[in-house]
Amino acid sequence: MDFDYLTEYDRAVGFLADRLREGTLVLFLGAGVSSGARLPNWSNLVESMRKEVGLPSKDLSSGADSLERAADEIRRRFYPADEPGFAELVQKCLYRGTSLDDSVLGDRLLTALGALLMGSRRGSVRRIVTFNFDSVLESYIWLNGLVPQVVLQPPVDEGAEDVRIYHPHGFLPHPDLKIRGSDFVMLGSKSINLRIGVPYDPWNELLRHILSTGVGLFVGLSVDSFRDRSLAPLLTAVGEGLNARRPTGFWVLKNEGANDSEVDKELLDCKIVPLRLPGFPEVPKLLLDICQRAAQTIPVAG
């Protein structure tokens, strides 16, 4: 079955609302989700790390490959056998000059994500996979009085948490939170090739299971992330396994123009529905529309 009919906004909202109501909607989050906390973007983070260890400034404008090479140089020269030390450097540069306080409560995107997580008769999201290693989302959840379970390494037994947050790329919490983080961080081509891109690795198997049992909603991730050499094969394999039953997920994208149709076809070929919005500020409205559509099916006692 072709799923291009679901690229229409209203149909997409209806389909995702049904998944929210039945409890199978899973969020996959990228760097765009943390932008409201004023954390450095990838290029600024790597540049700050290079400065911290005394390496010269480098042009990192040519894309993901240049960023990965620049990060790998830091790891190779200063932390060749010290993954925890490298993670500590990333954490230091990631949070320098920032505090994750009550200001995150005013972020529109986090507010909309929080609405999906709140327990309700219309359903809620219980599983989140984030490719970020910051603790912006966790800070927001704790400030709202919800209980998250942070998964650093599968398998983990289910508990009484409100939402389970998987961190396949590592987890480096803000120092003010005083909670345990991971002793690894996925930054650079050497580490990106590991774990989720390796068949039978626990992370690979876990994400395959999550995508096979739930419908993914990918937010804050670029098209380059879809084409990532570790994620793309996984999405393709899951899509082939689902056959024509349903799409693997929906990928939220901005209307760019010229190449949209080519990108959309590439996504649809992997059973990922492209969901085009005028811009990233429209994402909170999409998430709230999903919540509201799901709630409309619940009868109100009169």
Side-chain angles (χ1 to χ4, degrees), residues 116-144:
L116 286 168
L117 307 182
M118 300 295 179
S120 170
R121 288 180 60 198
R122 49 85 174 141
S124 63
V125 169
R126 299 293 305 276
R127 295 181 292 176
I128 297 176
V129 178
T130 175
F131 297 111
N132 302 323
F133 34 74
D134 63 66
S135 58
V136 170
L137 180 61
E138 284 79 5
S139 296
Y140 181 84
I141 290 173
W142 274 308
L143 284 169
N144 275 281

Side-chain angles (χ1 to χ4, degrees), residues 77-90:
R77 293 181 59 176
F78 298 92
Y79 303 93
D82 184 11
E83 190 65 27
F86 183 75
E88 185 177 343
L89 171 69
V90 178

